Amino acid sequence: MAEALATLEREKPAAKKTASKVAVTEHNDHEEAANDRTTFGFWVYLMTDLLMFSILFACYAVLHGNTLGAASGRELFSQPVALTETLLLLTSSFTAGIGMFRARQGNKNQALAWFGATFLLGLAFLGLEINEFTKFVHDGHTLRSNGFLSSFFVLVGTHGAHITSGLLWMGTTLAFVARRGLTPGLVRKLSLLSLFWHFLDIVWIFIFTIVYLQAQV
Amino acid sequence: MKREHGTIQSYITGFALSVVFTLIPYFLVVTQAVKGIVLFGTILAFALAQALIQVLFFLHLGRERKPKWQSGFLLATAGGIFVVTVGTFWIMYHLHENMMPTQAELKLAQDEGIAQVDGQKTGACVGASQMHMVVIKNGVASPSHTDAKRCDTIMFMNEDNTSRDIAFGPHSNHQEYGGVDDVPLSGGQSQTLTLNQSGTQSFHDHLHPEMTGDFTASP
């Protein structure tokens, strides 16, 4: 048994080598198929994540009126700040798309510049959100105050946590791109990252509409 | 694979459309050009439209080769989201409607006998109690006065064809009796009221205020 395994181990690299020699032309097709599989796997994650957000949205829709007599969204939310956050995130989604386009062209500096802009815009968005949250908590509107604030902080905070992890992911990937160049593996990572970023922008459209704009209806 | 990726042009179009679809609902809300449910419907429609724009121009969905697993999975998720959000809202809205504070109080006051009157708990009515009848016929309540003990019950019987709404105190100035605001009676219906508050209380039909009566619950 052990001997058989050892033989297998020895044969593996050899088999790989011949295969790559014989099928050079098929190589791109294989990599494309692998890319498709990875993208689809990530897509499945995004869709289940979307389902989780929809449950948080449903909670907010049910609970947003339960303020226990405290301030409602109409008094708490600043519409100009919400619009600024929306435009920041929307622009960052756009720059991520352009960055991805440049990365596929193999233009490393352009890709780094556009994704760098995406990173900064995302950071500005996160800064505004953290500023808003700390202001609420400082004024005594906390997660524990009432049903409205619990569902608000959980919904918007979950989105903010996604943005934070996206920024960490983007920062490390860009550092690797800067050092190693646009290798196929890194381009694939960037493509998943831009999918993730567009997805977060789409979720934010609904936070902007159902949480912030709806408060003034 | 190539056709799955966007061009610079598609990103610019998607971005411009998204900005427009963000600003229109924003100014509709800030200026309050329309109001209420129309406004909410409009901004929600703009959000859905913008999401579709970004799915098409940023995520480039629908350009993948067959079988279109991504589009299929997105549609299945959309179905799940529809069931979760609309279902939750529908169920919780009705639960909320049916458990309004006034109705919850009425249930406590009548079934559990623990209403609060002027901040004092009236206490649960348990044990033997007598039932009195007040029959309302041709717009007249008989007997017009009922003597009872606290925790007895009065059954109001509406023998007329019209709806009635038994309210307490004078018509001009409604009172609350033992946590109960009113006793609605459709034509031919009867309802039982637990006398969980001592004292004399007048009542009238809010829909036909000329019908009046009173009862006394001795401690």
Side-chain angles (χ1 to χ4, degrees), chain A residues 32 35-36 39-40 43-44 47-48 50-51 54-55 57-59 61-62 64 66 74 79-80 83 86-87 90-91 93-94 97-98 100-102 104 194-195 198-199 201-202 205-206 208-210 213-214 216-217, chain B residues 1 4-8 11-12 15 18-19 22-23 25-27 29-30 32 35-37 39-40 43-44 46-48 50-51 54-55 58-59 61 65 69-71 73-74 77 80-81 84-85 88-89 92 96:
Chain A
E32 242 175 53
N35 273 345
D36 278 357
T39 309
F40 182 64
W43 186 257
V44 171
M47 291 301 107
T48 45
L50 193 59
L51 206 51
S54 79
I55 292 165
F57 273 112
C59 282
V62 169
H64 78 276
N66 301 8
R74 181 180 286 269
Q79 297 298 328
L83 180 68
T86 307
L87 292 177
L90 180 58
T91 312
S93 194
F94 169 69
I98 302 288
M100 199 54 233
F101 185 79
R102 293 301 182 208
R104 286 211 172 88
S194 64
L195 264 188
H198 295 320
F199 163 79
D201 187 34
I202 291 176
I205 295 169
F206 288 97
F208 176 59
T209 305
I210 291 175
L213 290 185
Q214 186 274 334
Q216 301 291 327
V217 169
Chain B
M1 192 70 186
E4 285 181 41
H5 303 145
T7 59
I8 296 276
Y11 283 115
I12 292 174
F15 179 60
S18 293
V19 169
T22 299
L23 290 177
Y26 178 78
F27 282 107
V29 164
V30 168
Q32 298 276 309
K35 280 185 165 57
I37 190 77
L39 179 56
F40 184 64
I43 61 174
L44 198 61
F46 271 105
L48 288 168
Q50 193 185 162
Q54 297 203 8
V55 164
F58 287 178
L59 295 175
L61 210 70
R65 55 183 139 190
W69 288 115
Q70 291 194 22
S71 309
F73 206 72
L74 177 73
T77 311
I81 288 172
V84 166
T85 51
T88 304
F89 199 68
M92 292 310 289
H96 205 66

Side-chain angles (χ1 to χ4, degrees), chain A residues 76-118:
Chain A
L76 283 183
F77 300 146
S78 155
Q79 297 298 328
V81 170
L83 180 68
T84 313
E85 285 177 306
T86 307
L87 292 177
L88 280 173
L89 207 57
L90 180 58
T91 312
S92 80
S93 194
F94 169 69
T95 54
I98 302 288
M100 199 54 233
F101 185 79
R102 293 301 182 208
R104 286 211 172 88
Q105 286 179 333
N107 192 333
K108 180 183 157 188
N109 287 341
Q110 287 265 344
L112 278 178
W114 285 102
F115 271 110
T118 309

Side-chain angles (χ1 to χ4, degrees), chain A residues 90-155:
Chain A
L90 180 58
T91 312
S92 80
S93 194
F94 169 69
T95 54
I98 302 288
M100 199 54 233
F101 185 79
R102 293 301 182 208
R104 286 211 172 88
Q105 286 179 333
N107 192 333
K108 180 183 157 188
N109 287 341
Q110 287 265 344
L112 278 178
W114 285 102
F115 271 110
T118 309
F119 185 86
L120 292 179
L121 289 164
L123 211 58
F125 168 87
L126 199 64
L128 277 180
E129 187 161 276
I130 290 172
N131 185 48
E132 183 190 35
F133 276 21
T134 40
K135 189 167 155 284
F136 286 171
V137 171
H138 188 258
D139 294 343
H141 308 294
T142 67
L143 183 71
R144 298 172 63 176
S145 297
N146 50 45
F148 153 62
L149 283 171
S150 298
S151 56
F152 165 78
F153 276 117
V154 171
L155 170 61

